[in-house]
Amino acid sequence: MRHPQSKVPVAVFEASPEVRSAYFATGFVLRHDRLNGVFQETVTALKERTGKHMVVVAGPTGVGKTTLAKRVTDYVYQDLVPNWHEDPACIPCVCVELRMDSQSGFDWKELYRQVLVALNEPLVDHKCNIRTRTDYQKSQVMTGGHITVSRLRTEMEQALRERKTRVLILDELQHLFKHGGGKVEQYYDVLKSISSRTDCAIVGIGTYELCFMMDWSGQMNRVTDYLQFSRYDFGAQNDLQSFFNAYSGLLAHVPMDLDEELLRPDLEYVYIRCCGCIGILKDWIYRAMNRAVNDGAAALGVKHLEATMHPPKALQRIIEEIKEGEASFYQPDIDSLKSEFIGMRSPAPSSPVKGKKAGTAPSRPGIRKPKRDPIDAS
């Protein structure tokens, strides 16, 4: 049977397996409660960006961070800068995915190039340095040489200003700080400088690894909004209902018949095997649907889900990362801060170090001290 509230177009049901598979993979965006919540928090942070340069959103793998990036992009075009089409040069939002390279340091040059390409900058790969040389006989201006990182950044900043870009989204931001090592704060300062010089808010989206790599210093917290894109909490009744609605919403987009057992699921069984993350759940249903199609099954059933679930060891690792990431967002009680800060005493002043007497020079080896020698009384 089909889902009672099926969202799949009739033409897709009758299409080839490849078309049906592509529809479920990229043909829709499920706007579930957890995604809507963190999206509203991100929008609020962009609207109230007084003194803020960055918005950092961190969450577990497979929670839907890339979908969030697409929704934020749509919001900038539709609501934040609704009249962007009146200016042909305006590109109000740019979203790039940071690359993970094998080299030891992060390739800033490649990031600047990606942003320029997204801004439709012409001849990005043909930019070069300008070197002037005074030739009194020929009076020529010589050009040549590869463009430097500094020069390419200047080109990018100029393009962001000319395109009137309001938001720059950096997806998979943890790739930047993986290369950072001891330069995490320096890398962060580069992003803050770009935002300040272009008046462009930077939205960084990544996994919980961001929380472990970034130095949550007072300066970084002052100019950054940190948001958590968390999983659904099985112990909270509202979250449990929202999780079921998201599960049912995904099944409503499956372009094939469903076993009745899938419509009355054991939520604990489903929750554990997707770790409460809708992105993992969607990928799981996608694999199960392809397995059912390849097996020639008439309907998608529980056996297809069981055959395509993640191994328990992989699920255990994801759960461990989720617990560590959620712990990094723990906020202390304000009363404990009061007792720590207001009630603390200033450290007692240390005793001054006694210095040498003024005017005394250090003695040299081999020179006797000026004192009277003992006199032999005999």
Side-chain angles (χ1 to χ4, degrees):
M1 63 176 294
R2 295 185 181 182
H3 194 281
Q5 299 176 344
S6 177
K7 308 294 184 182
V8 183
V10 177
V12 176
F13 264 108
E14 300 172 353
S16 63
E18 292 78 13
V19 173
R20 287 185 289 164
S21 179
Y23 167 80
F24 189 81
T26 60
F28 70 97
V29 175
L30 183 68
R31 301 192 174 188
H32 54 94
D33 290 345
R34 182 67 82 232
L35 174 63
N36 293 336
V38 73
F39 169 71
Q40 289 299 330
E41 292 179 6
T42 306
V43 168
T44 301
L46 290 175
K47 288 181 178 179
E48 302 174 353
R49 91 168 254 251
T50 305
K52 301 283 187 177
H53 295 285
M54 286 189 63
V55 179
V56 174
V57 183
T61 179
V63 77
K65 297 182 294 297
T66 301
T67 303
L68 173 64
K70 294 178 181 178
R71 284 201 61 183
V72 173
T73 302
D74 293 340
Y75 159 76
V76 175
Y77 275 89
Q78 297 172 8
D79 298 311
L80 191 62
V81 191
N83 299 324
W84 63 272
H85 57 276
E86 297 178 1
D87 184 356
C90 181
I91 301 180
C93 183
V94 170
C95 181
V96 296
E97 180 178 334
L98 272 63
R99 285 174 36 177
M100 183 64 184
D101 295 322
S102 58
Q103 58 187 5
S104 57
F106 181 73
D107 191 353
W108 287 98
K109 200 171 183 179
E110 174 59 23
L111 172 60
Y112 300 151
R113 193 194 70 83
Q114 284 182 273
V115 175
L116 285 169
V117 170
L119 290 170
N120 297 329
E121 180 73 6
L123 302 175
V124 173
D125 295 324
H126 298 278
K127 294 184 179 294
C128 60
N129 287 329
I130 303 298
R131 300 181 304 178
T132 60
R133 185 182 70 182
T134 303
D135 192 328
Y136 295 102
Q137 294 180 350
K138 299 182 179 180
S139 300
Q140 292 180 342
V141 177
M142 306 299 295
T143 64
H146 297 289
I147 190 167
T148 62
V149 177
S150 177
R151 178 63 182 173
L152 197 60
R153 172 181 166 175
T154 302
E155 295 283 345
M156 181 199 69
E157 291 176 347
Q158 181 178 351
L160 287 171
R161 288 190 292 266
E162 291 178 349
R163 304 295 192 277
K164 301 179 179 63
T165 304
R166 297 283 300 277
V167 179
L168 172 61
I169 302 175
L170 302 179
D171 197 10
E172 303 294 348
L173 185 61
Q174 71 275 3
H175 292 168
L176 168 64
F177 296 105
K178 276 184 179 179
H179 288 297
K183 301 180 180 179
V184 172
E185 190 169 352
Q186 177 184 342
Y187 284 7
Y188 182 86
D189 288 340
V190 171
L191 296 179
K192 185 179 70 173
S193 174
I194 293 172
S195 174
S196 177
R197 289 167 56 87
T198 60
D199 193 27
C200 174
I202 296 180
V203 178
I205 302 177
T207 64
Y208 277 137
E209 291 178 283
L210 280 173
C211 306
F212 313 137
M213 297 172 191
M214 296 181 69
D215 179 18
W216 289 45
S217 63
Q219 169 71 4
M220 294 174 69
N221 278 279
R222 188 183 68 83
V223 297
T224 305
D225 280 313
Y226 292 97
L227 305 178
Q228 182 182 14
F229 193 172
S230 61
R231 62 184 170 93
Y232 282 101
D233 185 358
F234 193 81
Q237 187 61 37
N238 291 337
D239 273 20
L240 189 59
Q241 181 61 48
S242 297
F243 178 76
F244 172 75
N245 294 341
Y247 167 79
S248 180
L250 287 174
L251 292 183
H253 285 280
V254 173
M256 66 183 304
D257 291 339
L258 307 172
D259 284 347
E260 291 189 21
E261 191 176 0
L262 288 180
L263 301 179
R264 299 186 299 272
D266 179 1
L267 277 185
E268 183 176 338
Y269 171 88
V270 178
Y271 180 87
I272 292 296
R273 286 157 180 78
C274 72
C275 304
C277 299
I278 301 304
I280 297 178
L281 177 59
K282 181 181 179 180
D283 292 342
W284 181 20
I285 295 177
Y286 176 74
R287 294 194 305 271
M289 185 185 72
N290 288 334
R291 176 66 62 89
V293 170
N294 294 333
D295 291 347
L300 177 65
V302 175
K303 63 179 181 180
H304 302 117
L305 290 177
E306 292 179 347
T308 54
M309 60 174 264
H310 284 298
K313 193 167 185 177
L315 295 174
Q316 182 183 26
R317 181 55 187 158
I318 294 174
I319 292 172
E320 290 173 354
E321 292 177 355
I322 289 175
K323 291 170 63 177
E324 293 174 358
E326 290 176 345
S328 67
F329 274 90
Y330 167 76
Q331 297 293 336
D333 185 71
I334 194 67
D335 291 332
S336 64
L337 296 180
K338 178 181 177 181
S339 60
E340 257 184 62
F341 186 62
I342 299 181
M344 68 181 183
R345 296 180 178 179
S346 300
S350 56
S351 57
V353 180
K354 294 183 179 180
K356 296 183 180 180
K357 293 182 180 180
T360 59
S363 61
R364 296 181 179 178
I367 300 179
R368 299 175 59 193
K369 293 183 179 179
K371 65 179 181 178
R372 188 184 298 274
D373 293 336
I375 301 175
D376 190 1
S378 58

